[in-house]
Amino acid sequence: MLRRTLLPTLAAPFAAPFLKAAPKLTLESFEIFRVKVNHRGGWVLLRVKASNGLTGLGDASHGRRDEGVIGLIGEFFSKAKGRSPFDVELFRRDLMAEAEAKGRDGAVAFGAIEQAMWDLQGKAAGLPCWALFGGKLHPTLRHYANINRATVDRNPEGFARLAEPAVRDGFTAIKMASFDGLPAAGPGRKEGTDRGIACVEAVRRVMGPSGDLLVDAHSHFTVAEGFEVASRLEPSKLFWFEEICRDIPGLAELNRKLPMPTAGGESIFGINNFYPYIKEGAVDTTMPDVKYCGGLLELRKIGAISEAAGLTVAPHGPASPICNMAQAHVSAAMPNFLILELGYGEIPWRGELVNPPEVFEKGGLLRVPDRPGLGIELNERVAAAHAE
Ligand SMILES: [Mg+2]
């Protein structure tokens, strides 16, 4: 067969659905589903309907100020209405600055609509989202169990109590943030630091020597404290030490000198804000969150600049199964993907919130589906049963 005739034949299965669907398909309306999770807040889920009846999902969970996010989804959607879900760069060009000006609420609202646009694109094209981001490098994606959000007893026994079922469920990596609530000054600061370290040691004992243990400091420390705590945590052999202090120069200094890997960047919006963080060497692993960073395309772009700098990417996201699946599709296509996050033990019905249900295989592995779009639908019955 001549090359000229072969090429259109090969291209046909991919090109045809795009050509057929793209010009006609427009964003028409949206629905919000709110579900109650626990004391850390609920999940806000967005479902966008397109002109041909297809629907796309996005996670707009924020943990607080949900009303603000929902209001901004309405505001941004009114500007996106009538546009094609394929016009993500146009959506980005026209609304990203406005989203950034509205702070975290703006980022979350913007990112939720953007996620839904990709779900719609995949469904319209008959392709899984990973195929739109470069193809599947990783058929399964390792997750760590973040036990922090579901641990109410903030003592060594409390953390150990939730680490046990995570290990039994086959997770080989666990994350905790046992310095939460550390007072800014006074004798409680030393006491809290000591207790936080004891909590890490308790979880390490539960995991045994081979598991991967991740500690998130939630920026509670100064640079000097960061060095001291890191040295006390060294026997616990951390997989990473996350967000030790607040400023980029401090993080970069810690990152240069500490023996363990560092990670962070979950609240950064957009590549422009990620660039100095990466350029200054703040961390070894960047942690863009699809809900906060600007969506799936932005996650892909941040992954790419991280790759260029020799860094790995571990998308942050202890949120709903929709967030996990959205990040999974982009992560599947990222050569420098490291690990994903699961908010472990928060609610027993988590997996049932989507169809087909979310399943983690032994090792904390999530299999990336080959179904069109994100490959999941909201289980409205479960969402209604737990409506906020
Ligand atoms: Mg974190």
Side-chain angles (χ1 to χ4, degrees):
M1 195 183 281
L2 288 173
R3 197 161 165 261
R4 191 167 295 179
T5 53
L6 177 67
L7 281 176
T9 313
L10 283 175
F14 293 94
F18 276 104
L19 293 175
K20 200 171 143 202
K24 289 184 195 166
L25 195 61
T26 53
L27 305 172
E28 287 305 310
S29 60
F30 74 90
E31 295 165 277
I32 298 284
F33 300 84
R34 296 178 71 176
V35 292
K36 197 175 169 63
V37 179
N38 61 9
H39 63 288
R40 303 286 295 253
W43 292 332
V44 178
L45 309 169
L46 170 71
R47 188 165 66 187
V48 172
K49 198 168 186 182
S51 49
N52 62 356
L54 285 177
T55 56
L57 294 171
D59 191 327
S61 304
H62 192 207
R64 54 191 180 277
R65 298 195 306 273
D66 289 338
E67 284 72 20
V69 171
I70 293 166
L72 285 173
I73 288 176
E75 203 176 311
F76 295 161
F77 192 85
S78 67
K79 294 174 182 173
K81 192 176 171 181
R83 291 188 177 187
S84 166
F86 288 86
D87 284 334
V88 175
E89 282 288 6
L90 206 58
F91 176 72
R92 186 177 181 273
R93 187 197 70 185
D94 293 349
L95 285 166
M96 202 160 174
E98 193 179 333
E100 185 171 3
K102 308 265 184 190
R104 177 66 69 88
D105 287 3
V108 172
F110 177 93
I113 298 171
E114 202 263 13
Q115 292 167 54
M117 289 171 81
W118 284 103
D119 193 12
L120 282 167
Q121 283 187 43
K123 285 175 175 169
L127 294 168
C129 286
W130 55 255
L132 309 174
F133 285 99
K136 198 200 287 174
L137 283 172
H138 317 293
T140 56
L141 299 162
R142 187 185 185 210
H143 282 63
Y144 56 84
N146 178 350
I147 61 169
N148 199 60
R149 298 172 64 84
T151 298
V152 180
D153 173 4
R154 314 291 293 179
N155 284 298
E157 308 75 45
F159 279 99
R161 210 173 299 129
L162 198 56
E164 283 163 9
V167 169
R168 272 201 306 276
D169 284 349
F171 286 90
T172 55
I174 291 180
K175 185 165 104 175
M176 56 196 294
S178 49
F179 303 103
D180 285 0
L182 198 65
R189 190 157 176 87
K190 184 185 176 315
E191 208 176 282
T193 303
D194 292 347
R195 188 172 51 249
I197 292 169
C199 291
V200 174
E201 290 164 352
V203 172
R204 170 50 84 195
R205 280 194 292 278
V206 170
M207 297 183 80
S210 62
D212 289 326
L213 178 54
L214 295 62
V215 173
D216 188 348
H218 282 154
S219 309
H220 281 305
F221 297 119
T222 63
V223 174
E225 288 169 337
F227 279 115
E228 195 213 319
V229 173
S231 113
R232 293 177 65 189
L233 288 175
E234 225 184 305
S236 296
K237 299 283 173 228
L238 302 192
F239 182 81
W240 79 39
F241 198 9
E242 178 178 336
E243 309 231 308
I244 306 169
C245 69
R246 201 159 287 284
D247 64 298
I248 293 178
L251 287 169
E253 188 188 345
L254 286 157
N255 191 33
R256 265 195 316 277
K257 296 178 183 167
L258 287 182
M260 71 270 282
T262 66
E266 65 189 55
S267 54
I268 303 176
F269 182 65
I271 46 167
N272 292 352
N273 295 312
F274 251 101
Y275 182 64
Y277 193 78
I278 292 169
K279 186 164 159 270
E280 300 304 322
V283 289
D284 296 305
T285 298
T286 56
M287 299 180 66
D289 184 319
V290 74
K291 303 185 306 301
Y292 307 148
C293 78
L296 293 177
L297 181 60
E298 211 66 19
L299 173 59
R300 188 70 184 92
K301 291 182 185 210
I302 294 159
I305 56 171
S306 302
E307 183 187 355
L311 307 182
T312 49
V313 181
H316 168 270
S320 83
I322 294 169
C323 171
N324 274 72
M325 190 53 84
Q327 311 217 92
H329 277 271
V330 178
S331 298
M334 288 203 289
N336 50 340
F337 165 75
L338 180 63
I339 197 164
L340 271 165
E341 174 166 23
L342 167 69
Y344 179 83
E346 289 192 280
I347 36 163
W349 45 269
R350 175 191 166 93
E352 309 298 319
L353 186 60
V354 290
N355 274 323
E358 178 190 63
V359 176
F360 287 92
E361 299 173 12
K362 195 170 165 49
L365 300 180
L366 180 73
R367 194 161 292 280
V368 189
D370 293 333
R371 295 178 294 276
L374 295 178
I376 50 169
E377 294 297 338
L378 183 68
N379 184 332
E380 286 188 56
R381 186 183 51 78
V382 174
H386 301 282
E388 190 157 44

